[in-house]
Amino acid sequence: MRNHTSTRRQQALTIISTITALASATYIATGVGFMWAPWAYSAAWLLLVSSLAYVIPQIDTLIALATTVARHTVHAARHAHDWLAVLADRRQSPARVVRSTTHMEAGR
């Protein structure tokens, strides 16, 4: 039980650190942050370095988490595709389509 909790905690910290690293790197990459607020630019560098210090050793956890998310996304997409196919089959059911077969019903 404790190992499971530790794994969840590691996953949560890895996600938070990855998002923080990406946000910090984006802020730094824009380049205009230093002119607007030098203290924020310095804080972004500190956040980037500290986030990468946690994420890099946890890269196996990050890869496993990304793989799990990808599998769940593919599964959900397949489920939605199947559901939409069933819904489309119901709409085009022959029982619902009524066509006239005589000349009188057809308006001739």
Side-chain angles (χ1 to χ4, degrees):
M1 183 78 175
R2 184 174 179 160
N3 192 12
H4 180 71
T5 305
S6 176
T7 303
R8 293 280 186 192
R9 188 174 295 137
Q10 283 179 343
Q11 288 177 350
L13 286 173
T14 303
I15 291 169
I16 292 168
S17 293
T18 303
I19 292 170
T20 304
L22 290 172
S24 299
T26 303
Y27 184 76
I28 292 167
T30 59
V32 294
F34 184 74
M35 292 186 303
W36 289 343
W39 59 270
Y41 195 71
S42 299
W45 271 107
L46 290 173
L47 282 172
L48 178 65
V49 170
S50 62
S51 296
L52 288 177
Y54 184 80
V55 169
I56 289 173
Q58 296 290 332
I59 198 73
D60 58 341
T61 304
L62 184 63
I63 291 171
L65 191 61
T67 304
T68 302
V69 168
R71 284 184 188 154
H72 285 297
T73 304
V74 168
H75 178 72
R78 286 183 184 156
H79 183 70
H81 181 267
D82 293 343
W83 182 74
L84 289 173
V86 168
L87 197 65
D89 286 343
R90 285 187 188 168
R91 286 187 180 171
Q92 297 177 2
S93 170
R96 293 183 181 245
V97 178
V98 179
R99 294 184 179 149
S100 63
T101 55
T102 64
H103 293 291
M104 188 174 246
E105 290 173 310
R108 292 183 184 179

